[in-house]
Amino acid sequence: MSALIDYHKLSLSDRDVAFMREALKEAVKAAQEDEVPVGAVLVVNQKIVSRGHNQVELLQDATAHAEMICLTAGAAALGNWRLSEAMLYCTLEPCCMCAGAMLSSRLKRLVWAAPDLRLGANGSWIDVFASKHPMTEIEIANGVLKDEAADLMRAFFQKQRKKPGS
């Protein structure tokens, strides 16, 4: 989190943009590590408590998504798996696994950037959040910095297709 920005003084939409920019920084890290460029930040009281980016290739673990890493790190930082006051900003629509983890964590709010037509679980493929959950309800916003996130994904996969043996 940049010390130059007082997130408390920003409007909700401006905060969403500012925190999504932080998630995009994580996505860039993933791309630099030859991972699918997805990033996430977990925010409580306008403060970033954890960050994550995809590490599937590094860890050889299909569950090492940016959101999962960020939720796990956030729960550890807060000393509580219940993230009922937390907001998660991620650069890609969550998959079923990540959506389930968000519900299990009792996340307060989810903000995502670009849709995932292949695995998106907030309406692009299926909508895990459509049915009322018995324990929690997550407020969801989407499309925040959608073009920047989509451009990052597009550039990454164009580069991947140009690699020898692709």
Side-chain angles (χ1 to χ4, degrees):
M1 182 168 82
S2 172
L4 301 175
I5 299 172
D6 184 350
Y7 293 103
H8 290 89
K9 293 182 179 178
L10 297 175
S11 69
L12 183 60
S13 61
D14 289 340
R15 272 185 259 159
D16 285 349
V17 169
F19 287 126
M20 189 60 74
R21 288 205 187 286
E22 294 297 317
L24 282 165
K25 289 178 186 177
E26 291 297 312
V28 169
K29 285 182 192 176
Q32 291 169 341
E33 295 170 8
D34 218 20
E35 298 276 357
V36 175
V38 180
V41 295
L42 189 71
V43 176
V44 177
N45 296 324
Q46 311 316 316
K47 182 177 184 248
I48 296 173
V49 296
S50 65
R51 296 171 176 270
H53 59 273
N54 272 3
Q55 295 183 31
V56 171
E57 298 301 329
L58 173 71
L59 301 175
Q60 287 300 295
D61 179 356
T63 69
H65 289 191
E67 302 94 311
M68 299 295 285
I69 290 167
C70 193
L71 290 170
T72 300
L78 295 168
N80 193 342
W81 63 268
R82 293 172 193 87
L83 302 175
S84 57
E85 295 303 314
M87 296 182 281
L88 183 70
Y89 291 81
C90 50
T91 60
L92 189 66
E93 177 183 5
C95 69
C96 291
M97 172 186 65
C98 294
M102 291 170 201
L103 288 166
S104 294
S105 298
R106 300 180 187 169
L107 190 68
K108 179 179 184 176
R109 186 164 187 260
L110 164 65
V111 182
W112 56 267
D116 183 352
L117 301 177
R118 220 173 37 91
L119 292 172
N122 188 209
S124 292
W125 174 50
I126 62 168
D127 195 348
V128 170
F129 303 104
S131 298
K132 183 165 174 45
H133 191 273
M135 297 293 292
T136 190
E137 185 174 336
I138 300 175
E139 178 189 334
I140 300 173
N142 63 51
V144 176
L145 300 182
K146 171 185 172 182
D147 293 339
E148 289 91 330
D151 288 347
L152 192 57
M153 294 289 280
R154 201 170 6 265
F156 175 79
F157 283 109
Q158 285 173 349
K159 181 180 168 188
Q160 293 298 106
R161 285 191 288 275
K162 291 179 182 175
K163 284 185 176 181
S166 297

